[in-house]
Amino acid sequence: MALDTSEEEQIEKIQTFLRQNGWFLAIGLVLVLGGNFGFRSWEDQKQAAAEAASDAFTTFQAAAREGKTDDDKRAAAMDLGDAFIANHPGTDYAVLAGLQIAKLHFSAGNLSEAEAAMRAITAAASSQLAPLVQIRLARLLGAQDRPEEGLTVLAEPLEWAGFMAARHEVEGDLLYQLDRLDEARQAYQLAVNTAGEEGLPGLTMKVEDLTFATASMDPAISDESSNNEAASVEAPAAGPDASADGSQADSKDNG
């Protein structure tokens, strides 16, 4: 449309275009409005599905809590969990349900079934949940006296942020099982460095215990301890009261 045409000519050309192409515009308008309606409908369905999944998962959680100590309720809870996973495959809720099912198997002493439940959800776990799944799987392998496999699980390249302290602690536990005490102490120290205030007391105790254990195996420290013990044996000879004091001290310690 030329820039120097009059407004009347422009209006006439627009009217002519509408007369000739009105049907196509109407179709386009319907498609646009229909697409918008369809998107909103899809969003509504998605929201409804999420709310239904949340409600169903809450029901399963309640059943799982009741099934911790009762065999019949535990079996019913696991059936409910299996049905939930079948109805919500590939979702984070399904992964969380799988973790609960594994926990129920573990509480019943069925470690192999717990492992199977864990491995069934490993592939479906999102990047946010994968570290939690692997940490629990590693612990489970350690409980089955398979610490080497547990360390392999923890070595997988995942986004461990937020789970670093737990990862290092489990790694320390597995290394301790393998009697690799110095490496276990280092892992516990890393856990302390990345843990919040709540997890520090237990972790610090593990570090201190292993620090003492590894130090006692150092030949130089052992020799020094032997010399100190020899000096303490000679000390009572200084006078008769020394033996009595030593006996009183032993009595206080034992009492």
Side-chain angles (χ1 to χ4, degrees):
M1 192 178 299
L3 293 177
D4 58 351
T5 56
S6 65
E7 293 184 3
E8 290 80 7
E9 290 177 338
Q10 293 180 20
I11 293 172
E12 180 61 27
K13 289 184 178 181
I14 291 173
Q15 289 177 334
T16 301
F17 176 82
L18 290 175
R19 284 195 299 271
Q20 294 175 348
N21 302 282
W23 176 249
F24 296 102
L25 290 176
I27 293 177
L29 182 61
V30 169
L31 291 175
V32 170
L33 293 176
N36 185 47
F37 175 78
F39 177 75
R40 289 184 179 178
S41 178
W42 177 78
E43 282 289 323
D44 292 341
Q45 291 178 358
K46 184 179 178 181
Q47 181 65 26
E51 292 175 357
S54 177
D55 292 341
F57 183 73
T58 300
T59 301
F60 165 63
Q61 278 186 308
R65 283 193 293 269
E66 294 179 358
K68 287 182 179 179
T69 57
D70 185 281
D71 291 340
D72 292 336
K73 290 183 178 180
R74 182 186 299 114
M78 286 190 287
D79 288 341
L80 189 61
D82 289 336
F84 178 88
I85 293 174
N87 292 330
H88 305 278
T91 65
D92 285 345
Y93 279 123
V95 174
L96 293 173
L99 289 174
Q100 287 282 6
I101 292 173
K103 191 173 182 179
L104 289 170
H105 280 302
F106 185 86
S107 65
N110 302 322
L111 302 190
S112 59
E113 288 84 351
E115 181 184 348
M118 293 287 293
R119 293 192 181 279
I121 61 175
T122 299
S126 64
S127 58
Q128 289 79 19
L129 292 178
L132 177 61
V133 173
Q134 297 302 75
I135 285 171
R136 292 196 180 182
L137 178 58
R139 284 189 184 278
L140 185 57
L141 291 170
Q144 297 179 81
D145 199 25
R146 293 154 61 190
E148 296 92 343
E149 294 181 51
L151 290 174
T152 300
V153 167
L154 294 179
E156 294 187 13
L158 299 175
E159 295 293 334
W160 292 101
F163 294 91
M164 288 303 297
R167 178 188 180 279
H168 288 310
E169 183 177 9
V170 175
E171 183 181 19
D173 293 341
L174 297 172
L175 290 167
Y176 183 84
Q177 279 186 262
L178 294 169
D179 203 31
R180 292 159 59 177
L181 302 186
D182 190 55
E183 293 176 78
R185 181 187 60 78
Q186 294 177 34
Y188 288 142
Q189 185 60 60
L190 287 173
V192 168
N193 296 343
T194 53
E197 293 295 329
E198 294 180 359
L200 283 179
L203 288 171
T204 302
M205 185 178 297
K206 288 184 177 182
V207 173
E208 291 174 350
D209 288 347
L210 281 184
T211 299
F212 176 79
T214 53
S216 66
M217 293 187 297
D218 190 316
I221 297 177
S222 298
D223 292 342
E224 183 179 349
S225 299
S226 299
N227 293 335
N228 291 336
E229 290 175 1
S232 64
V233 170
E234 294 175 359
D241 293 337
S243 298
D245 292 341
S247 300
Q248 292 175 2
D250 290 341
S251 298
K252 292 179 180 178
D253 291 340
N254 295 329

